[in-house]
Amino acid sequence: MTLTHLNARGEAHMVDVADKAESRREARARGTVRMLPATLALLVEGGLPKGDVLATARIAGIQAAKRTHELIPLCHALALSKVTVEFEIDVDDSCVHVESSCRLNGRTGVEMEALTAVSVACLTLYDMCKAVDKGMTIDDVRLEAKSGGRSGDWRREVDARPAGMIASHAPAEGELNDGAEPAGRQTIANADGSPVGEDMSRAIDEPRGKAGGDCEGVITVRFLAELRERLGCETLTLPLGDLGTRDVAGVKRALAAADARFEVLDGKRVLVAHNQVMAGEGTAVNAADEIAFFPPVTGG
Amino acid sequence: MTIQIKIQPEPFDAGERQRQLLRSRTDTGAVVSFTGLVRDFNERPEVQALSLEHFPGMTETALRQIAEEARQRWALQAVTIIHRIGRLAPGDGIVLVQVASAHRRAAFEACDFIMDILKTRAPFWKKEHTSSGDYWVSERQSDHEDAGRWEYR
């Protein structure tokens, strides 16, 4: 597997598509805007100060798809044959699901167009509703399916995020997002509305049943800086019973077994701290310990 | 020896810190003060800002330990380490290290040592915001070579 936007020297370049065969290309992406039930009710009734929210967001999404090449540096300008942006009002979860489909006969995929349409439609929803609800969150922007082209068809399996994921996405103390929301409302939930944290411990618990974890306790695993962003995961808990060996190496193996994405932890440039002291592969791990993985430090 | 460690989003005033370091003592013969600043170019040009993340809880311990190591190697009277976190702009101070000693050699070397070890051991990470996007700063081999000069562990 190679990254087609990087040349042999690792520099970014635009892929030459002149010699690629034309084929029918389609992509579908989704995202979710979560809001207070009262906000959703206003949106449905058309009672928001900026007017018809969904019609505006739809046009914004379609316009954005057409201008993707102006936003994403190495994207080609495409003559899209179809762009749709649809909304589903989800009263149970108090959110709006946004879905976009893009299509063309051409030489490049349209995933970026579909993702851009969803992103901008979500942002427009936010903009239209922010007067009454600043705590809204834009979640789960993702590609659902694509077809055509050399890499063939692809469809999202139920949920391709790391199984052991996510107690919270809150920025770590000291990571300042300028103008960020106060860390008040971190509504992170699965599609079924259950908090992601619970789903996470289920996911790691299930393969072994209830046996070990409960009576032996758990450890907390943290990911920092670039590693947190790459894994999409800040903290998770791991039952001690899941560890083959009660050491840092055992933690890495248990995480990799739960989700292949955690295999990156075995990289040479991943550092580890045990209860906030630099540690190594052989460092012993006990109940209630905290293991933190992070990239090489770059302070000073 | 007095050790002062601070991790803060606010700017620091090197002159004021140095006055505090020396307050009520007359046995000091030398103070070395190092300030690290945000450059407007790094791996990419046009760095517009920098976000510094750290590992709360571990950071302070790590800095204190570095100061302790310095004290074991040189005869020092006081060490101050202040590291900023959060969003910084080009020209802003990131880190301040001040070392007081009876004689200059110890102060120079200890300050150099503290910065070298801090760069490779203290849990801080920089993300640069440039006109061509945001990216995490990667480690430098030269920093490891610098730290290696001290045969530190």
Side-chain angles (χ1 to χ4, degrees):
Chain A
M1 187 67 79
T2 55
L3 296 172
T4 56
H5 284 114
L6 300 181
N7 66 15
R9 289 203 299 273
E11 298 160 336
H13 76 135
M14 200 156 168
V15 178
D16 185 347
V17 297
D19 296 326
K20 289 169 81 173
E22 284 209 354
S23 66
R24 184 181 175 111
R25 315 291 292 263
E26 285 191 70
R28 188 161 55 84
R30 283 175 73 89
T32 300
V33 182
R34 296 182 194 283
M35 58 191 71
L36 297 171
T39 313
L40 190 66
L42 277 174
L43 186 153
V44 173
E45 292 159 19
L48 285 159
K50 287 193 177 181
D52 191 337
V53 172
L54 297 184
T56 310
R58 178 178 292 114
I59 296 299
I62 292 170
Q63 288 293 96
K66 294 194 288 186
R67 304 181 69 164
T68 302
H69 69 103
E70 293 174 21
L71 299 170
I72 310 297
L74 304 176
C75 262
H76 297 81
L78 302 180
L80 294 166
S81 58
K82 181 191 115 175
V83 181
T84 64
V85 176
E86 300 298 333
F87 302 97
E88 279 169 47
I89 305 291
D90 185 339
V91 175
D92 293 342
D93 277 337
S94 190
C95 63
V96 178
H97 300 292
V98 182
E99 178 168 310
S100 170
S101 294
C102 294
R103 183 191 294 163
L104 88 167
N105 288 319
R107 299 186 173 96
T108 73
V110 288
E111 302 97 288
M112 291 313 300
E113 281 68 18
L115 285 164
T116 302
V118 166
S119 301
V120 172
C122 288
L123 286 170
T124 305
L125 280 178
Y126 186 96
D127 180 51
M128 298 288 287
C129 303
K130 69 179 189 297
V132 298
D133 186 2
K134 292 189 173 48
M136 288 178 291
T137 62
I138 296 174
D139 294 338
D140 297 328
V141 174
R142 65 205 185 265
L143 184 68
E144 285 292 347
K146 60 145 293 208
S147 62
R150 194 180 50 185
S151 66
D153 295 356
W154 181 87
R155 181 169 295 277
R156 176 171 299 279
E157 316 268 331
V158 194
D159 188 348
R161 291 174 304 169
M165 256 178 59
I166 309 177
S168 90
H169 278 302
E173 187 188 326
E175 184 199 347
L176 297 190
N177 300 343
D178 44 336
E181 280 292 311
R185 183 174 147 195
Q186 289 137 19
T187 48
I188 292 168
N190 293 305
D192 64 0
S194 62
V196 175
E198 286 176 20
D199 179 57
M200 170 271 295
S201 48
R202 262 208 316 275
I204 292 198
D205 262 345
E206 267 166 11
R208 283 156 213 270
K210 280 286 193 187
D214 286 353
C215 53
E216 293 183 86
V218 296
I219 57 165
T220 304
V221 183
R222 292 183 67 161
F223 304 97
L224 294 153
E226 186 180 19
L227 206 53
R228 176 190 63 241
E229 291 188 358
R230 196 176 346 153
L231 294 167
C233 181
E234 180 169 346
T235 56
L236 56 83
T237 52
L238 193 62
L240 212 48
D242 280 8
L243 304 187
T245 54
R246 296 283 173 95
D247 55 16
V248 168
V251 173
K252 287 186 184 179
R253 278 194 295 272
L255 289 170
D259 192 295
R261 208 175 291 194
F262 292 116
E263 283 167 8
V264 300
L265 299 178
D266 238 355
K268 185 163 149 279
R269 298 316 307 160
V270 173
L271 305 179
V272 59
H274 170 259
N275 293 339
Q276 312 196 329
V277 175
M278 287 287 198
E281 293 282 295
T283 305
V285 173
N286 295 301
D289 281 357
E290 179 195 76
I291 303 295
F293 292 101
F294 44 83
V297 301
T298 55
Chain B
M1 186 185 78
T2 321
I3 295 179
Q4 262 242 344
I5 308 288
K6 266 191 190 308
I7 296 147
Q8 61 184 44
E10 301 82 23
F12 48 75
D13 179 336
E16 176 55 30
R17 302 305 312 193
Q18 183 163 322
R19 277 188 289 280
Q20 283 181 27
L21 191 79
L22 298 176
R23 189 161 296 158
S24 72
R25 61 187 315 158
T26 50
D27 56 344
T28 298
V31 180
V32 169
S33 177
F34 171 86
T35 304
L37 305 170
V38 182
R39 272 192 306 264
D40 66 0
F41 67 93
N42 193 26
E43 291 164 28
R44 297 186 203 175
E46 296 180 56
V47 174
Q48 291 156 345
L50 192 72
S51 291
L52 260 153
E53 178 178 332
H54 76 125
F55 184 3
M58 178 171 175
T59 321
E60 180 150 330
T61 319
L63 293 180
R64 190 166 293 278
Q65 200 191 337
I66 295 168
E68 284 288 345
E69 293 267 348
R71 182 176 65 132
Q72 285 164 24
R73 289 173 177 235
W74 293 275
L76 306 179
Q77 295 166 341
V79 172
T80 297
I81 305 177
I82 300 177
H83 204 298
R84 289 181 66 192
I85 52 170
R87 196 176 173 96
L88 308 180
D92 285 354
I94 304 176
V95 61
L96 176 72
V97 176
Q98 295 184 328
V99 179
S101 176
H103 302 284
R104 73 178 183 284
R105 184 70 56 214
F108 272 125
E109 290 183 358
C111 189
D112 201 10
F113 168 86
I114 289 169
M115 272 311 298
D116 281 349
I117 306 305
L118 182 153
K119 293 281 269 186
T120 51
R121 302 284 293 188
F124 292 99
W125 299 275
K126 287 185 188 128
K127 190 183 218 178
E128 285 183 348
H129 308 289
T130 74
S131 49
S132 58
D134 300 349
Y135 67 97
W136 290 96
V137 174
S138 50
E139 61 177 332
R140 286 170 189 270
Q141 186 52 37
S142 60
D143 286 338
H144 286 279
E145 286 158 10
D146 287 345
R149 294 184 301 150
W150 304 101
E151 294 170 0
Y152 179 77
R153 252 176 273 173

